[in-house]
Amino acid sequence: QSCGNTITFCSAGSAGCRQQSQGASSGEVDRAGAKRAHAAGLTALNQGRVAEAVTLLRRAAALDPSNAAIGRDLERAERIAATVRARN
């Protein structure tokens, strides 16, 4: 969920949601936010929620563009998403 400059992360079965501010200025690295978005993206991907995974991994890549692991996982999620689209 996004509203203004705040993102709310909610997961199924969680007792609550947590909010974080989006990265402020261009070029600013938010490694903690990237780590959370990366983990949430991998969880979504492993649960078959491919479109959500791509969105989360893109957010992680935007927050920490130099993180090679995030880049690789995003590429993998995008390949899976393309395969799913091609089969439908």
Side-chain angles (χ1 to χ4, degrees):
Q1 222 176 32
S2 180
C3 183
N5 287 334
T6 302
I7 299 172
T8 303
F9 291 97
C10 300
S11 13
S14 67
C17 299
R18 65 183 181 271
Q19 293 185 342
Q20 79 176 64
S21 295
Q22 286 183 298
S25 64
S26 176
E28 185 175 322
V29 175
D30 177 4
R31 286 191 175 84
K35 183 176 180 178
R36 286 189 299 270
H38 185 209
L42 292 178
T43 297
L45 190 60
N46 288 333
Q47 293 176 348
R49 301 185 328 264
V50 180
E52 181 183 351
V54 170
T55 299
L56 288 162
L57 291 168
R58 284 181 180 159
R59 181 178 301 144
L63 293 171
D64 188 359
S66 65
N67 187 313
I70 292 172
R72 283 190 304 270
D73 289 335
L74 174 57
E75 288 175 3
R76 182 169 60 101
E78 288 175 332
R79 280 194 309 272
I80 293 168
T83 300
V84 170
R85 281 192 306 273
R87 290 184 180 176
N88 290 333

